[in-house]
Amino acid sequence: MKIFKYTLDLIDLQSLELPVGAKVLAVQVQNGNPQIWALVDENAQKEVRTFATYGTGHVVANNPCNYIGTYQLENGAFVFHVFEKLAYLND
């Protein structure tokens, strides 16, 4: 097992390819870019996982799914909240 980092784009909905069974540990900003850190088995097959990002005060889906964490940009001027969307649930 290893801990890998994945960059989040500044978009509402993003799909990332992670090893099957990856456990998301945290979301934080590093060098001005939001990142997700996950505990992974690098030899596992890959799967697509989808993450939704909502700004504070923005409309949130009826079922935002699993909360991952919150990060801030521009010294706290912008605050975003990240959720992992589960494939078997619909908004």
Side-chain angles (χ1 to χ4, degrees):
M1 300 292 277
K2 293 184 178 179
I3 297 174
F4 282 6
K5 175 177 68 174
Y6 302 88
T7 301
L8 287 175
D9 295 326
L10 295 176
I11 57 177
D12 294 340
L13 201 59
Q14 177 177 356
S15 294
L16 296 173
E17 194 172 83
L18 280 71
V20 171
K23 180 180 179 184
V24 176
L25 302 173
V27 59
Q28 294 185 31
V29 174
Q30 183 180 44
N31 299 321
N33 298 307
Q35 310 285 345
I36 286 178
W37 281 266
L39 183 63
V40 304
D41 173 356
E42 64 183 317
N43 298 314
Q45 288 187 311
K46 303 291 191 270
E47 66 180 347
V48 175
R49 292 172 60 175
T50 304
F51 298 89
T53 300
Y54 301 99
T56 297
H58 294 196
V59 174
V60 175
N62 290 335
N63 185 359
C65 298
N66 292 339
Y67 174 73
I68 301 299
T70 295
Y71 67 89
Q72 299 180 29
L73 296 175
E74 304 284 330
N75 292 318
F78 301 101
V79 181
F80 299 96
H81 314 278
V82 180
F83 294 80
E84 182 172 3
K85 300 186 72 65
L86 302 176
Y88 60 87
L89 294 176
N90 294 320
D91 286 348

